[in-house]
């Protein structure tokens, strides 16, 4: 059984004043059967860890360096994230691939480092709109998975998030059939590469304009084990109903 997962990516948003959202989310979902993760900016991890103590909420980073330490100004290692309270780290988000030129090989190196520290890597993949329109979606997703996912991956240390780039922050989402096609494809790829046991245990998230209004439909799609949520994770008022939809789907 895969435990469903709702992960909130705050991106470069929020400050100390946002930590009240963690209290409110924990109050709304004091004992969820699903796993609920908040990935705040790195500067907020330690205070967020203190706020989340005693609740089932877990924390994640938004990126890490592939090296454990060294002369890498501005970067954060997987061990630093772990020490600050993270159990997860988002890697290969399209904003990192786009804004920072991250390649699949670099994402794989980062994921390998994260897994070696005991973090669960949430590896993001997704096609551009032009790639979907050219009917290349599955080729793109397959290539990104091959390049970005480490060999030593398991259901404990890997989550894969399908995030069509054209759906992120746009209010547009693929149809349930389109999401299902990609998620079934990703499941088959994982089973082929890692064997049925591991391949079936890795959780697959959908991400891209998930809101309370579309969450139930998305969570009903085959092989969707939860969501990676950006904008709607910034407030408990918006994120808690998405978690509720996931709880209902898990029922
Ligand atoms: C994201 O950036 O991971 C994301 C899914 O963003 P949004 O929910 O805002 O589309």
């Amino acid at each position: 059984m895969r435990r469903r997962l709702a992960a909130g990516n705050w991106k470069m948003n929020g400050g100390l004043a946002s930590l009240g959202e963690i209290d409110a989310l924990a109050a709304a979902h004091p004992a969820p059967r699903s796993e609920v993760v908040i990935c705040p900016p790195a500067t907020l991890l330690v205070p967020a860890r203190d706020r989340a103590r005693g609740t089932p909420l877990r924390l994640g980073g938004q990126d890490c360096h592939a090296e454990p330490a060294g002369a890498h100004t501005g970067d954060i290692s997987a061990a630093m994230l772990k020490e600050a309270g993270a159990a997860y780290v988002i890697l290969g988000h399209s904003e990192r691939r786009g804004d920072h030129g991250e390649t699949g090989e670099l994402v794989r190196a980062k994921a390998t480092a994260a897994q070696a520290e005991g973090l669960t890597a949430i590896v993001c993949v997704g096609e551009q709109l032009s790639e979907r329109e050219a009917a290349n979606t599955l080729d793109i997703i397959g290539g990104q998975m091959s390049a970005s996912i480490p060999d030593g991956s398991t259901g404990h240390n890997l989550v894969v998030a399908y995030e069509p780039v054209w759906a992120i922050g746009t209010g547009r989402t693929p149809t349930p059939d389109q999401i299902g096609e990609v998620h079934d494809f990703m499941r088959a790829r994982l089973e082929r590469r890692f064997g049925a046991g591991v391949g079936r245990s890795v959780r697959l998230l959908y991400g891209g304009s998930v809101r309370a209004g579309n969450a139930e439909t998305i969570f009903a799609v085959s092989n969707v084990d939860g969501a990676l949520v950006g904008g709607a994770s910034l407030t408990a008022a918006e994120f808690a109903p998405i978690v509720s939809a996931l709880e209902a789907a898990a029922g």
Side-chain angles (χ1 to χ4, degrees), residues 7 9 11 90 93-95 124 161 163-164 167-172 206-211 227-233:
N9 175 12
K11 310 191 185 188
I90 299 168
H93 190 283
S94 61
E95 288 153 15
C124 301
E163 297 211 306
I168 293 178
T170 61
R172 297 183 63 187
Y206 168 77
S209 295
V210 176
R211 303 281 181 270
L228 180 55
V229 182
S233 72

PDB file of all heavy atoms in Angstrom, residues 7 9 11 90 93-95 124 161 163-164 167-172 206-211 227-233, ligand 1:
ATOM      1  N   ALA A   7       2.186  17.339  -0.729  1.00  0.00           N
ATOM      2  CA  ALA A   7       3.377  18.145  -0.435  1.00  0.00           C
ATOM      3  C   ALA A   7       3.144  19.566  -0.923  1.00  0.00           C
ATOM      4  O   ALA A   7       2.732  19.777  -2.072  1.00  0.00           O
ATOM      5  CB  ALA A   7       4.610  17.537  -1.116  1.00  0.00           C
ATOM      6  N   ASN A   9       4.715  23.193  -1.806  1.00  0.00           N
ATOM      7  CA  ASN A   9       5.954  23.862  -2.194  1.00  0.00           C
ATOM      8  C   ASN A   9       5.735  25.371  -2.094  1.00  0.00           C
ATOM      9  O   ASN A   9       5.074  25.957  -2.949  1.00  0.00           O
ATOM     10  CB  ASN A   9       6.299  23.453  -3.640  1.00  0.00           C
ATOM     11  CG  ASN A   9       7.507  24.201  -4.182  1.00  0.00           C
ATOM     12  OD1 ASN A   9       8.234  24.861  -3.444  1.00  0.00           O
ATOM     13  ND2 ASN A   9       7.720  24.083  -5.484  1.00  0.00           N
ATOM     14  N   LYS A  11       7.899  27.615  -2.436  1.00  0.00           N
ATOM     15  CA  LYS A  11       8.822  28.338  -3.328  1.00  0.00           C
ATOM     16  C   LYS A  11       9.466  29.507  -2.566  1.00  0.00           C
ATOM     17  O   LYS A  11       9.732  29.372  -1.381  1.00  0.00           O
ATOM     18  CB  LYS A  11       8.095  28.809  -4.591  1.00  0.00           C
ATOM     19  CG  LYS A  11       7.304  27.688  -5.261  1.00  0.00           C
ATOM     20  CD  LYS A  11       6.813  28.068  -6.616  1.00  0.00           C
ATOM     21  CE  LYS A  11       5.933  26.954  -7.171  1.00  0.00           C
ATOM     22  NZ  LYS A  11       5.561  27.150  -8.555  1.00  0.00           N
ATOM     23  N   ILE A  90      12.532  18.491  -2.632  1.00  0.00           N
ATOM     24  CA  ILE A  90      12.075  18.578  -4.030  1.00  0.00           C
ATOM     25  C   ILE A  90      13.311  18.776  -4.897  1.00  0.00           C
ATOM     26  O   ILE A  90      14.156  19.638  -4.607  1.00  0.00           O
ATOM     27  CB  ILE A  90      11.126  19.789  -4.210  1.00  0.00           C
ATOM     28  CG1 ILE A  90       9.880  19.645  -3.340  1.00  0.00           C
ATOM     29  CG2 ILE A  90      10.752  19.968  -5.677  1.00  0.00           C
ATOM     30  CD1 ILE A  90       9.051  20.935  -3.246  1.00  0.00           C
ATOM     31  N   HIS A  93      12.699  20.516  -9.944  1.00  0.00           N
ATOM     32  CA  HIS A  93      11.504  21.297 -10.266  1.00  0.00           C
ATOM     33  C   HIS A  93      11.762  22.062 -11.566  1.00  0.00           C
ATOM     34  O   HIS A  93      12.879  22.485 -11.831  1.00  0.00           O
ATOM     35  CB  HIS A  93      11.207  22.262  -9.111  1.00  0.00           C
ATOM     36  CG  HIS A  93       9.874  22.923  -9.237  1.00  0.00           C
ATOM     37  ND1 HIS A  93       9.648  23.957 -10.112  1.00  0.00           N
ATOM     38  CD2 HIS A  93       8.687  22.680  -8.619  1.00  0.00           C
ATOM     39  CE1 HIS A  93       8.369  24.325 -10.016  1.00  0.00           C
ATOM     40  NE2 HIS A  93       7.773  23.563  -9.119  1.00  0.00           N
ATOM     41  N   SER A  94      10.722  22.247 -12.353  1.00  0.00           N
ATOM     42  CA  SER A  94      10.928  22.898 -13.664  1.00  0.00           C
ATOM     43  C   SER A  94      11.477  24.307 -13.512  1.00  0.00           C
ATOM     44  O   SER A  94      12.155  24.810 -14.412  1.00  0.00           O
ATOM     45  CB  SER A  94       9.624  22.918 -14.464  1.00  0.00           C
ATOM     46  OG  SER A  94       8.641  23.647 -13.778  1.00  0.00           O
ATOM     47  N   GLU A  95      11.198  24.938 -12.359  1.00  0.00           N
ATOM     48  CA  GLU A  95      11.772  26.281 -12.156  1.00  0.00           C
ATOM     49  C   GLU A  95      13.270  26.195 -11.911  1.00  0.00           C
ATOM     50  O   GLU A  95      14.024  27.107 -12.253  1.00  0.00           O
ATOM     51  CB  GLU A  95      11.030  26.981 -10.999  1.00  0.00           C
ATOM     52  CG  GLU A  95       9.627  27.386 -11.426  1.00  0.00           C
ATOM     53  CD  GLU A  95       8.603  27.477 -10.321  1.00  0.00           C
ATOM     54  OE1 GLU A  95       8.984  27.500  -9.140  1.00  0.00           O
ATOM     55  OE2 GLU A  95       7.392  27.499 -10.653  1.00  0.00           O
ATOM     56  N   CYS A 124      10.977  15.855  -9.809  1.00  0.00           N
ATOM     57  CA  CYS A 124       9.931  16.403 -10.672  1.00  0.00           C
ATOM     58  C   CYS A 124      10.274  16.184 -12.144  1.00  0.00           C
ATOM     59  O   CYS A 124      11.432  16.359 -12.556  1.00  0.00           O
ATOM     60  CB  CYS A 124       9.785  17.904 -10.437  1.00  0.00           C
ATOM     61  SG  CYS A 124       9.387  18.338  -8.739  1.00  0.00           S
ATOM     62  N   ALA A 161       7.147  13.316  -9.097  1.00  0.00           N
ATOM     63  CA  ALA A 161       6.043  14.257  -9.306  1.00  0.00           C
ATOM     64  C   ALA A 161       5.947  14.598 -10.784  1.00  0.00           C
ATOM     65  O   ALA A 161       6.913  15.078 -11.374  1.00  0.00           O
ATOM     66  CB  ALA A 161       6.256  15.530  -8.487  1.00  0.00           C
ATOM     67  N   GLU A 163       4.731  17.075 -13.255  1.00  0.00           N
ATOM     68  CA  GLU A 163       4.321  18.477 -13.248  1.00  0.00           C
ATOM     69  C   GLU A 163       4.454  19.055 -14.652  1.00  0.00           C
ATOM     70  O   GLU A 163       5.535  19.541 -15.034  1.00  0.00           O
ATOM     71  CB  GLU A 163       5.207  19.282 -12.292  1.00  0.00           C
ATOM     72  CG  GLU A 163       5.100  18.846 -10.845  1.00  0.00           C
ATOM     73  CD  GLU A 163       5.315  20.019  -9.914  1.00  0.00           C
ATOM     74  OE1 GLU A 163       6.354  20.702 -10.030  1.00  0.00           O
ATOM     75  OE2 GLU A 163       4.441  20.265  -9.090  1.00  0.00           O
ATOM     76  N   PRO A 164       3.381  19.000 -15.440  1.00  0.00           N
ATOM     77  CA  PRO A 164       3.454  19.627 -16.762  1.00  0.00           C
ATOM     78  C   PRO A 164       3.815  21.108 -16.596  1.00  0.00           C
ATOM     79  O   PRO A 164       3.157  21.820 -15.818  1.00  0.00           O
ATOM     80  CB  PRO A 164       2.041  19.471 -17.321  1.00  0.00           C
ATOM     81  CG  PRO A 164       1.255  18.691 -16.348  1.00  0.00           C
ATOM     82  CD  PRO A 164       2.039  18.517 -15.098  1.00  0.00           C
ATOM     83  N   ALA A 167       1.193  23.754 -16.785  1.00  0.00           N
ATOM     84  CA  ALA A 167       0.116  23.740 -15.783  1.00  0.00           C
ATOM     85  C   ALA A 167       0.540  24.417 -14.481  1.00  0.00           C
ATOM     86  O   ALA A 167      -0.296  24.665 -13.614  1.00  0.00           O
ATOM     87  CB  ALA A 167      -0.316  22.304 -15.500  1.00  0.00           C
ATOM     88  N   ILE A 168       1.838  24.705 -14.347  1.00  0.00           N
ATOM     89  CA  ILE A 168       2.325  25.247 -13.071  1.00  0.00           C
ATOM     90  C   ILE A 168       1.992  26.734 -12.970  1.00  0.00           C
ATOM     91  O   ILE A 168       2.432  27.538 -13.801  1.00  0.00           O
ATOM     92  CB  ILE A 168       3.841  25.006 -12.932  1.00  0.00           C
ATOM     93  CG1 ILE A 168       4.111  23.510 -12.813  1.00  0.00           C
ATOM     94  CG2 ILE A 168       4.395  25.756 -11.724  1.00  0.00           C
ATOM     95  CD1 ILE A 168       5.572  23.148 -12.725  1.00  0.00           C
ATOM     96  N   GLY A 169       1.185  27.047 -11.977  1.00  0.00           N
ATOM     97  CA  GLY A 169       0.855  28.441 -11.691  1.00  0.00           C
ATOM     98  C   GLY A 169      -0.014  29.101 -12.745  1.00  0.00           C
ATOM     99  O   GLY A 169      -0.165  30.328 -12.742  1.00  0.00           O
ATOM    100  N   THR A 170      -0.614  28.330 -13.639  1.00  0.00           N
ATOM    101  CA  THR A 170      -1.376  28.912 -14.743  1.00  0.00           C
ATOM    102  C   THR A 170      -2.883  28.767 -14.590  1.00  0.00           C
ATOM    103  O   THR A 170      -3.641  29.399 -15.323  1.00  0.00           O
ATOM    104  CB  THR A 170      -0.998  28.227 -16.075  1.00  0.00           C
ATOM    105  OG1 THR A 170      -1.316  26.828 -15.960  1.00  0.00           O
ATOM    106  CG2 THR A 170       0.482  28.408 -16.385  1.00  0.00           C
ATOM    107  N   GLY A 171      -3.304  27.890 -13.691  1.00  0.00           N
ATOM    108  CA  GLY A 171      -4.732  27.600 -13.591  1.00  0.00           C
ATOM    109  C   GLY A 171      -5.190  26.581 -14.619  1.00  0.00           C
ATOM    110  O   GLY A 171      -6.355  26.188 -14.636  1.00  0.00           O
ATOM    111  N   ARG A 172      -4.294  26.149 -15.488  1.00  0.00           N
ATOM    112  CA  ARG A 172      -4.631  25.115 -16.488  1.00  0.00           C
ATOM    113  C   ARG A 172      -4.208  23.756 -15.957  1.00  0.00           C
ATOM    114  O   ARG A 172      -3.153  23.633 -15.337  1.00  0.00           O
ATOM    115  CB  ARG A 172      -3.896  25.371 -17.800  1.00  0.00           C
ATOM    116  CG  ARG A 172      -4.258  26.660 -18.474  1.00  0.00           C
ATOM    117  CD  ARG A 172      -3.515  26.778 -19.800  1.00  0.00           C
ATOM    118  NE  ARG A 172      -3.894  25.712 -20.732  1.00  0.00           N
ATOM    119  CZ  ARG A 172      -3.288  25.508 -21.893  1.00  0.00           C
ATOM    120  NH1 ARG A 172      -2.256  26.251 -22.250  1.00  0.00           N
ATOM    121  NH2 ARG A 172      -3.698  24.536 -22.692  1.00  0.00           N
ATOM    122  N   TYR A 206       0.801  14.206  -8.736  1.00  0.00           N
ATOM    123  CA  TYR A 206       0.520  15.156  -9.809  1.00  0.00           C
ATOM    124  C   TYR A 206       0.729  16.557  -9.247  1.00  0.00           C
ATOM    125  O   TYR A 206       0.341  16.847  -8.108  1.00  0.00           O
ATOM    126  CB  TYR A 206      -0.921  15.014 -10.343  1.00  0.00           C
ATOM    127  CG  TYR A 206      -1.226  16.198 -11.226  1.00  0.00           C
ATOM    128  CD1 TYR A 206      -0.709  16.249 -12.514  1.00  0.00           C
ATOM    129  CD2 TYR A 206      -1.893  17.318 -10.724  1.00  0.00           C
ATOM    130  CE1 TYR A 206      -0.872  17.384 -13.299  1.00  0.00           C
ATOM    131  CE2 TYR A 206      -2.070  18.454 -11.502  1.00  0.00           C
ATOM    132  CZ  TYR A 206      -1.548  18.469 -12.785  1.00  0.00           C
ATOM    133  OH  TYR A 206      -1.682  19.603 -13.549  1.00  0.00           O
ATOM    134  N   GLY A 207       1.310  17.445 -10.054  1.00  0.00           N
ATOM    135  CA  GLY A 207       1.465  18.843  -9.649  1.00  0.00           C
ATOM    136  C   GLY A 207       1.198  19.773 -10.812  1.00  0.00           C
ATOM    137  O   GLY A 207       1.579  19.479 -11.962  1.00  0.00           O
ATOM    138  N   GLY A 208       0.557  20.891 -10.523  1.00  0.00           N
ATOM    139  CA  GLY A 208       0.251  21.891 -11.539  1.00  0.00           C
ATOM    140  C   GLY A 208      -1.173  22.369 -11.377  1.00  0.00           C
ATOM    141  O   GLY A 208      -2.112  21.707 -11.797  1.00  0.00           O
ATOM    142  N   SER A 209      -1.308  23.539 -10.694  1.00  0.00           N
ATOM    143  CA  SER A 209      -2.619  24.168 -10.509  1.00  0.00           C
ATOM    144  C   SER A 209      -3.633  23.270  -9.803  1.00  0.00           C
ATOM    145  O   SER A 209      -4.828  23.286 -10.132  1.00  0.00           O
ATOM    146  CB  SER A 209      -3.173  24.658 -11.860  1.00  0.00           C
ATOM    147  OG  SER A 209      -2.353  25.685 -12.378  1.00  0.00           O
ATOM    148  N   VAL A 210      -3.155  22.476  -8.835  1.00  0.00           N
ATOM    149  CA  VAL A 210      -4.096  21.729  -7.992  1.00  0.00           C
ATOM    150  C   VAL A 210      -4.750  22.723  -7.021  1.00  0.00           C
ATOM    151  O   VAL A 210      -4.072  23.538  -6.394  1.00  0.00           O
ATOM    152  CB  VAL A 210      -3.385  20.604  -7.206  1.00  0.00           C
ATOM    153  CG1 VAL A 210      -4.371  19.908  -6.258  1.00  0.00           C
ATOM    154  CG2 VAL A 210      -2.759  19.589  -8.166  1.00  0.00           C
ATOM    155  N   ARG A 211      -6.055  22.648  -6.957  1.00  0.00           N
ATOM    156  CA  ARG A 211      -6.841  23.514  -6.081  1.00  0.00           C
ATOM    157  C   ARG A 211      -7.895  22.644  -5.391  1.00  0.00           C
ATOM    158  O   ARG A 211      -8.129  21.511  -5.798  1.00  0.00           O
ATOM    159  CB  ARG A 211      -7.575  24.599  -6.904  1.00  0.00           C
ATOM    160  CG  ARG A 211      -6.675  25.480  -7.754  1.00  0.00           C
ATOM    161  CD  ARG A 211      -6.005  26.559  -6.920  1.00  0.00           C
ATOM    162  NE  ARG A 211      -5.163  27.432  -7.723  1.00  0.00           N
ATOM    163  CZ  ARG A 211      -3.871  27.230  -7.984  1.00  0.00           C
ATOM    164  NH1 ARG A 211      -3.265  26.146  -7.517  1.00  0.00           N
ATOM    165  NH2 ARG A 211      -3.177  28.087  -8.697  1.00  0.00           N
ATOM    166  N   ALA A 227      -0.426  14.885  -4.387  1.00  0.00           N
ATOM    167  CA  ALA A 227      -0.155  16.092  -5.179  1.00  0.00           C
ATOM    168  C   ALA A 227       1.037  16.860  -4.632  1.00  0.00           C
ATOM    169  O   ALA A 227       1.309  16.849  -3.427  1.00  0.00           O
ATOM    170  CB  ALA A 227      -1.382  16.996  -5.181  1.00  0.00           C
ATOM    171  N   LEU A 228       1.719  17.519  -5.551  1.00  0.00           N
ATOM    172  CA  LEU A 228       2.689  18.554  -5.208  1.00  0.00           C
ATOM    173  C   LEU A 228       1.999  19.874  -5.538  1.00  0.00           C
ATOM    174  O   LEU A 228       1.610  20.102  -6.686  1.00  0.00           O
ATOM    175  CB  LEU A 228       3.976  18.375  -6.013  1.00  0.00           C
ATOM    176  CG  LEU A 228       5.099  19.392  -5.764  1.00  0.00           C
ATOM    177  CD1 LEU A 228       5.478  19.473  -4.292  1.00  0.00           C
ATOM    178  CD2 LEU A 228       6.340  19.023  -6.587  1.00  0.00           C
ATOM    179  N   VAL A 229       1.828  20.691  -4.523  1.00  0.00           N
ATOM    180  CA  VAL A 229       0.978  21.873  -4.644  1.00  0.00           C
ATOM    181  C   VAL A 229       1.818  23.122  -4.416  1.00  0.00           C
ATOM    182  O   VAL A 229       2.540  23.217  -3.411  1.00  0.00           O
ATOM    183  CB  VAL A 229      -0.158  21.822  -3.593  1.00  0.00           C
ATOM    184  CG1 VAL A 229      -1.080  23.031  -3.739  1.00  0.00           C
ATOM    185  CG2 VAL A 229      -0.941  20.520  -3.709  1.00  0.00           C
ATOM    186  N   GLY A 230       1.736  24.062  -5.325  1.00  0.00           N
ATOM    187  CA  GLY A 230       2.465  25.317  -5.170  1.00  0.00           C
ATOM    188  C   GLY A 230       1.596  26.376  -4.513  1.00  0.00           C
ATOM    189  O   GLY A 230       1.421  26.409  -3.300  1.00  0.00           O
ATOM    190  N   GLY A 231       1.011  27.244  -5.341  1.00  0.00           N
ATOM    191  CA  GLY A 231       0.284  28.408  -4.831  1.00  0.00           C
ATOM    192  C   GLY A 231      -0.752  28.081  -3.762  1.00  0.00           C
ATOM    193  O   GLY A 231      -0.877  28.805  -2.765  1.00  0.00           O
ATOM    194  N   ALA A 232      -1.475  27.001  -3.949  1.00  0.00           N
ATOM    195  CA  ALA A 232      -2.554  26.676  -3.007  1.00  0.00           C
ATOM    196  C   ALA A 232      -2.045  26.059  -1.713  1.00  0.00           C
ATOM    197  O   ALA A 232      -2.845  25.709  -0.844  1.00  0.00           O
ATOM    198  CB  ALA A 232      -3.575  25.747  -3.668  1.00  0.00           C
ATOM    199  N   SER A 233      -0.724  25.923  -1.581  1.00  0.00           N
ATOM    200  CA  SER A 233      -0.204  25.404  -0.306  1.00  0.00           C
ATOM    201  C   SER A 233       0.214  26.531   0.634  1.00  0.00           C
ATOM    202  O   SER A 233       0.602  26.281   1.775  1.00  0.00           O
ATOM    203  CB  SER A 233       1.005  24.487  -0.551  1.00  0.00           C
ATOM    204  OG  SER A 233       2.143  25.230  -0.946  1.00  0.00           O
TER     205      SER A 233
HETATM  206  C1  LIG B   1       4.662  23.680  -8.377  1.00  0.00           C
HETATM  207  O1  LIG B   1       5.334  24.641  -8.666  1.00  0.00           O
HETATM  208  O2  LIG B   1       5.212  22.637  -7.971  1.00  0.00           O
HETATM  209  C2  LIG B   1       3.232  23.770  -8.521  1.00  0.00           C
HETATM  210  C3  LIG B   1       2.553  22.670  -8.638  1.00  0.00           C
HETATM  211  O3  LIG B   1       2.703  25.040  -8.541  1.00  0.00           O
HETATM  212  P1  LIG B   1       1.141  25.428  -8.627  1.00  0.00           P
HETATM  213  O4  LIG B   1       0.390  24.480  -7.741  1.00  0.00           O
HETATM  214  O5  LIG B   1       1.091  26.841  -8.142  1.00  0.00           O
HETATM  215  O6  LIG B   1       0.737  25.265 -10.057  1.00  0.00           O
END
